[in-house]
Amino acid sequence: MISRIWHGWTTPNNADKYEVLLKEEIFIGIHKRNISGFKDIQLFRREINGEAEFVTIMVFDSLDAVREFAGDDYEIAVVPEKARAVLSHFDAKSQHYEIRLVGI
């Protein structure tokens, strides 16, 4: 399995708006795509250095499933225009890791 990790930052004033956008529109849209091999998405948030940092971790069966989500250049970040409008900056590329252990 593959974990796709991405970071985005926004101002504290836009943090709640961005979180709602993720939960109520973007994540739902991802699920509705019915991507073969897409397993899960997690959202993390913290306040740091005067910004709100968001981390998403998506889990896929394989890199082929990641490519179905992101395209052939699968490392490129997938950031819809509505999200770009409230983010102050974000990772241009996502990191991908092979999951070696889940739980103990």
Side-chain angles (χ1 to χ4, degrees):
M1 291 205 309
I2 303 295
S3 180
R4 176 184 173 95
I5 302 172
W6 175 87
H7 299 80
W9 293 264
T10 189
T11 64
N13 289 339
N14 281 333
D16 289 340
K17 180 179 180 179
Y18 180 62
E19 185 172 336
V20 168
L21 176 66
L22 287 171
K23 291 177 178 177
E24 295 182 2
E25 188 172 329
I26 294 172
F27 290 174
I28 291 170
I30 291 169
H31 282 284
K32 286 183 177 180
R33 288 179 56 188
N34 293 317
I35 298 164
S36 176
F38 169 68
K39 296 298 183 190
D40 189 31
I41 190 165
Q42 295 178 313
L43 176 65
F44 300 87
R45 174 180 168 176
R46 70 177 176 160
E47 305 295 322
I48 185 166
N49 299 326
E51 293 184 296
E53 177 186 15
F54 288 85
V55 178
T56 59
I57 301 177
M58 301 176 76
V59 178
F60 295 89
D61 280 339
S62 66
L63 281 177
D64 286 336
V66 175
R67 285 183 186 96
E68 186 177 339
F69 167 71
D72 288 334
D73 192 1
Y74 66 88
E75 289 185 331
I76 297 294
V78 177
V79 185
E81 287 304 317
K82 283 186 177 181
R84 290 173 187 259
V86 293
L87 289 168
S88 52
H89 57 105
F90 55 86
D91 291 345
K93 293 188 174 193
S94 296
Q95 300 84 43
H96 297 83
Y97 296 88
E98 188 177 322
I99 298 172
R100 306 298 290 190
L101 176 68
V102 177
I104 297 179

